[in-house]
Amino acid sequence: MHLLPIVALGTLMLPLAAQANDPNSYAQPDQVQVTHLDLDLKIDFAQRQLDGQATLKLDWKNAQAQSLVLDTRDLKIAKVEALGANGKATTLTYALAPRDPQLGSKLTIATPHRPRQVRIVYSTSPEASGLQWLTPAQTADHRAPFMFSQSESIHARSWVPLQDSPAVRFTYAAHVSAPKDIRVVMSALNDARHPLNGDFRFAQPHPIPSYLLAISAGDLAAQETGPRSAVYAEPSVVAKAAHEFEDTEKLIATAEQLYGPYAWGRYDILVLPPSFPFGGMENPNMTFATPTVLVGDKSLVSLVSHELAHSWSGNLVTAAAWRDIWLNEGFTTYVQGRITEAVYGKALADEEALLSARALQKKIGTMEPNTQKLAPDPRGIGADDALSDVAYDKGSWFLRTLELRFGRDAFDNYLKGYFAHFAFQSITTEQMLAYLKPHLLEKYPGKMSWDEVTAWVYGEGIPGDAPLPDSPRFNTIDQERTDFLASKLAADKLDAKSWNTQEWMYFLDRLPDVAPLDKLQQLDAAWQLTGTPNAEIGMRWYTHAIAAGDKAAWTAAAEHMHRIGRLYLTTPLYKAFAKTPEGLAYAEQVYAKAKAGYHPMTQKAVEAIFAKAKNPAPAPTPTK
Ligand SMILES: [Zn+2]
């Protein structure tokens, strides 16, 4: 995934029984493992539900096992059957446990004869945490309803009963029926020329973890961007998206040069409506992307580099549990930087690395000590919370440090070997370290000590000698910001005409948290930041304007919040408003109107901000 909720959704206390394997799953892969999933689903827009059956092929690890335990959340189970070798179905008894607020309902199926296949007939709930249903009015073209899934981290269980742990990998095939004129796409091989006849079939021949299961359906057009890539979007968006993503083939070829062949066949991108809660999601063969990166100048195309990089780090080599998610996101953010550097130049890659490092430096000291670690104590962290800035930005910073210490050639060879060695496996931090030691540390002695490595991986904060790239353009911006704040440089004399998105982000990121109102007004008069169509700039600008008490920006801020459901770009505005009673009341009004268009994850995050503002928790123990 790319760019994450800034809001922590709360610390999770897990039921003891769930702690045996992956603490965020009830599954017992040491007893039995799902190896293949056959889905047969009908998309029912009127009822906002998926209806059908999931057939699981099973590999029994324990010859005495008596049950199959699956993860579910808010599913209506109609029937569970065992399928014999002759295809004959036998009804199985099952028990659905009461719903745990974090983990959902444990489904225990009695399987005394350990069948090769089990079929579950079920339907989803309109409130499924992993699905969003949009009315025609909530789409760009207002012509047809739209639906999409977001399974990471533990939301696949809300639309398919399965072993919802990244440790379990399976292949899948699907038959999906939909209304005529609707196109269905999945995280599998898709055909841009498929007729819109309401009858779609998909196959994912590579074993994937459940969080990469994905589906979307709506009024979708497709446009090729290269020999093995296309963009899918609503008809009014597709040409703009194809232009923004026209370098896709160049990005794939660059990544292949660095890390070996692209293993998945096609690489397509689906541009979702603005309510998509994330920047992008690396669903295999079909990246799901936010429309907020369509800014016209390709300045935010790093998102594609990021999701594409996951084809190696994440989709090929996967974290075995959410606690190890930095193996996906930290490695991917590093690889993203390398692709950006090769295609768009070192200056841009350095700017992006500096932006993320500076933001992390500012934030990490305010985080709970356990969440400051790349590999946190798993019992203290929830599955969604694990996807934090630490996983992305501290993780990639560690890898950039390794590259500097060992040299680019040695580190590139190492990483290529690592991806090949663990391809199509799910691994823990400890397995990664066990490979790192002989293949990098001991192979090139004296470059980095084991203690330094473990300080990065298991320590809090950021090591004092963590290297930062140098960006002459950012240095100039630092000087201009200082002069502007000291009234030595007028707002309209800033050299901002030539600033790209990242340079605006950097200028705004390092303004004081509560900047003087007159300074912000001067900036706005000179550069018309209020009303900007660029959501990265807008998020930063409105957050400052709200903090400084600039009520003139409120209406435009509300429009931004209403339009954009991407957590990272919208929740900071809610947080800024929630700091004063008047702002909080205003934000609640905005939310009342925006809520229907928000994804369940965004709703949950905004409601958590309101709850915290009204009932602040006691101050945490200060951390070092
Ligand atoms: Zn990612």
Side-chain angles (χ1 to χ4, degrees), residues 1-2 282 306 310 329 392:
M1 244 187 310
H2 187 67
E282 64 273 20
H306 181 97
H310 272 304
E329 298 302 350
Y392 290 74

Side-chain angles (χ1 to χ4, degrees), residues 281-346:
M281 178 65 212
E282 64 273 20
N283 297 316
N285 297 113
M286 183 64 80
T287 281
F288 284 16
T290 172
T292 59
V293 297
L294 304 179
V295 289
D297 64 358
K298 301 190 208 169
S299 60
L300 298 176
V301 164
S302 294
L303 178 102
V304 176
S305 305
H306 181 97
E307 306 313 332
L308 174 67
H310 272 304
S311 307
W312 287 263
S313 42
N315 301 6
L316 198 60
V317 182
T318 309
W322 296 105
R323 167 261 189 180
D324 303 301
I325 198 63
W326 75 279
L327 299 180
N328 288 13
E329 298 302 350
F331 278 62
T332 290
T333 306
Y334 170 79
V335 171
Q336 166 200 333
R338 293 295 303 279
I339 298 173
T340 297
E341 179 183 324
V343 177
Y344 300 105
K346 186 166 168 17

Side-chain angles (χ1 to χ4, degrees), residues 13-30:
M13 292 305 293
L14 292 164
L16 276 171
Q19 286 171 10
N21 300 301
D22 174 351
N24 293 295
S25 168
Y26 290 112
Q28 300 168 343
D30 56 332

Side-chain angles (χ1 to χ4, degrees), residues 284-579:
N285 297 113
M286 183 64 80
T287 281
F288 284 16
T290 172
T292 59
V293 297
L294 304 179
V295 289
D297 64 358
K298 301 190 208 169
S299 60
L300 298 176
V301 164
S302 294
L303 178 102
V304 176
S305 305
H306 181 97
E307 306 313 332
L308 174 67
H310 272 304
S311 307
W312 287 263
S313 42
N315 301 6
L316 198 60
V317 182
T318 309
W322 296 105
R323 167 261 189 180
D324 303 301
I325 198 63
W326 75 279
L327 299 180
N328 288 13
E329 298 302 350
F331 278 62
T332 290
T333 306
Y334 170 79
V335 171
Q336 166 200 333
R338 293 295 303 279
I339 298 173
T340 297
E341 179 183 324
V343 177
Y344 300 105
K346 186 166 168 17
L348 182 62
D350 284 350
E351 286 188 351
E352 294 193 330
L354 258 179
L355 267 174
S356 77
R358 293 289 189 209
L360 183 68
Q361 276 177 326
K362 186 172 171 185
K363 183 178 176 189
I364 198 164
T366 68
M367 299 173 71
E368 292 286 337
N370 188 40
T371 60
Q372 297 180 23
K373 300 172 184 173
L374 282 180
D377 175 354
R379 289 176 61 180
I381 196 151
D384 283 345
D385 296 350
L387 285 154
S388 79
D389 307 30
V390 170
Y392 290 74
D393 299 331
K394 185 174 171 182
S396 56
W397 204 342
F398 172 45
L399 265 64
R400 289 200 306 275
T401 306
L402 289 173
E403 184 203 316
L404 281 173
R405 292 284 190 93
F406 291 89
R408 181 164 276 194
D409 286 348
F411 189 61
D412 281 358
N413 273 329
Y414 165 76
L415 213 48
K416 209 169 165 174
Y418 166 85
F419 290 140
H421 182 77
F422 291 113
F424 295 110
Q425 294 181 44
S426 300
I427 65 168
T428 62
T429 298
E430 288 65 35
Q431 283 171 281
M432 187 283 290
L433 289 175
Y435 185 84
L436 179 86
K437 204 171 183 185
H439 292 96
L440 195 66
L441 254 58
E442 292 169 357
K443 193 169 169 187
Y444 307 99
K447 305 274 188 195
M448 195 169 190
S449 73
W450 186 245
D451 285 351
E452 286 177 289
V453 169
T454 53
W456 269 101
V457 174
Y458 297 110
E460 296 158 17
I462 300 158
D465 60 354
L468 279 171
D470 185 41
S471 165
R473 284 184 66 87
F474 273 16
N475 295 341
T476 306
I477 290 171
D478 279 332
Q479 190 57 50
E480 290 200 30
R481 188 192 312 97
T482 303
D483 291 348
F484 164 68
L485 289 170
S487 301
K488 288 187 203 157
L489 185 69
D492 60 356
K493 296 285 181 274
L494 290 166
D495 192 24
K497 238 188 210 115
S498 68
W499 290 353
N500 62 18
T501 303
Q502 285 74 12
E503 288 157 1
W504 265 113
M505 287 159 69
Y506 187 71
F507 178 84
L508 294 169
D509 272 353
R510 305 194 88 196
L511 284 174
D513 286 343
V514 183
L517 179 57
D518 62 326
K519 288 287 166 202
L520 294 186
Q521 287 167 335
Q522 290 161 19
L523 265 183
D524 203 16
W527 300 102
Q528 288 81 46
L529 294 166
T530 299
T532 173
N534 185 318
E536 288 275 4
I537 294 172
M539 177 270 277
R540 289 167 172 82
W541 169 249
Y542 296 124
T543 305
H544 280 303
I546 297 161
D550 185 2
K551 281 197 172 172
W554 280 23
T555 313
E559 194 278 325
H560 172 111
M561 291 151 82
H562 201 269
R563 184 166 53 93
I564 296 165
R566 183 176 167 191
L567 284 157
Y568 151 78
L569 292 177
T570 211
T571 53
L573 277 70
Y574 280 100
K575 279 180 151 177
F577 272 128
K579 289 212 163 88

Side-chain angles (χ1 to χ4, degrees), residues 97-415:
R99 184 186 196 276
D100 176 90
Q102 305 291 342
L103 301 187
S105 300
K106 175 183 180 179
L107 174 63
T108 307
I109 301 167
T111 50
H113 304 297
R114 292 170 292 285
R116 290 280 306 283
Q117 294 191 67
V118 166
R119 170 180 294 162
I120 300 116
V121 181
Y122 71 100
S123 56
T124 62
S125 149
E127 280 78 46
S129 64
L131 301 177
Q132 187 174 15
W133 300 87
L134 299 173
T135 62
Q138 290 165 334
T139 67
D141 292 357
H142 306 313
R143 282 218 297 253
F146 200 103
M147 66 83 57
F148 64 88
S149 67
Q150 169 57 39
S151 296
E152 192 176 19
S153 52
I154 55 170
H155 303 284
R157 65 188 66 176
S158 74
W159 64 283
V160 185
L162 38 56
Q163 294 180 310
D164 197 10
S165 167
V168 179
R169 303 179 76 104
F170 53 88
T171 53
Y172 80 86
H175 172 238
V176 182
S177 33
K180 285 228 164 33
D181 300 326
I182 290 288
R183 187 192 298 275
V184 182
V185 297
M186 288 194 81
S187 54
L189 291 163
N190 289 269
D191 175 7
R193 286 176 291 271
H194 195 293
L196 304 185
N197 58 2
D199 190 70
F200 290 81
R201 285 180 192 277
F202 302 93
Q204 178 49 267
H206 296 300
I208 60 161
S210 55
Y211 75 87
L212 294 176
L213 260 187
I215 187 169
S216 179
D219 179 15
L220 289 171
Q223 190 169 326
E224 306 265 315
T225 53
R228 49 181 161 171
S229 60
V231 290
Y232 290 73
E234 287 188 71
S236 69
V237 180
V238 76
K240 193 180 177 192
H243 170 71
E244 201 87 30
F245 300 147
E246 67 185 4
D247 294 337
T248 301
E249 175 56 32
K250 216 186 285 178
L251 301 174
I252 304 171
T254 301
E256 286 188 310
Q257 255 171 21
L258 286 167
Y259 304 113
Y262 176 70
W264 304 83
R266 289 193 62 84
Y267 177 77
D268 296 326
I269 302 172
L270 168 66
V271 179
L272 290 167
S275 66
F276 185 50
F278 297 104
M281 178 65 212
E282 64 273 20
N283 297 316
N285 297 113
M286 183 64 80
T287 281
F288 284 16
T290 172
T292 59
V293 297
L294 304 179
V295 289
D297 64 358
K298 301 190 208 169
S299 60
L300 298 176
V301 164
S302 294
L303 178 102
V304 176
S305 305
H306 181 97
E307 306 313 332
L308 174 67
H310 272 304
S311 307
W312 287 263
S313 42
N315 301 6
L316 198 60
V317 182
T318 309
W322 296 105
R323 167 261 189 180
D324 303 301
I325 198 63
W326 75 279
L327 299 180
N328 288 13
E329 298 302 350
F331 278 62
T332 290
T333 306
Y334 170 79
V335 171
Q336 166 200 333
R338 293 295 303 279
I339 298 173
T340 297
E341 179 183 324
V343 177
Y344 300 105
K346 186 166 168 17
L348 182 62
D350 284 350
E351 286 188 351
E352 294 193 330
L354 258 179
L355 267 174
S356 77
R358 293 289 189 209
L360 183 68
Q361 276 177 326
K362 186 172 171 185
K363 183 178 176 189
I364 198 164
T366 68
M367 299 173 71
E368 292 286 337
N370 188 40
T371 60
Q372 297 180 23
K373 300 172 184 173
L374 282 180
D377 175 354
R379 289 176 61 180
I381 196 151
D384 283 345
D385 296 350
L387 285 154
S388 79
D389 307 30
V390 170
Y392 290 74
D393 299 331
K394 185 174 171 182
S396 56
W397 204 342
F398 172 45
L399 265 64
R400 289 200 306 275
T401 306
L402 289 173
E403 184 203 316
L404 281 173
R405 292 284 190 93
F406 291 89
R408 181 164 276 194
D409 286 348
F411 189 61
D412 281 358
N413 273 329
Y414 165 76
L415 213 48

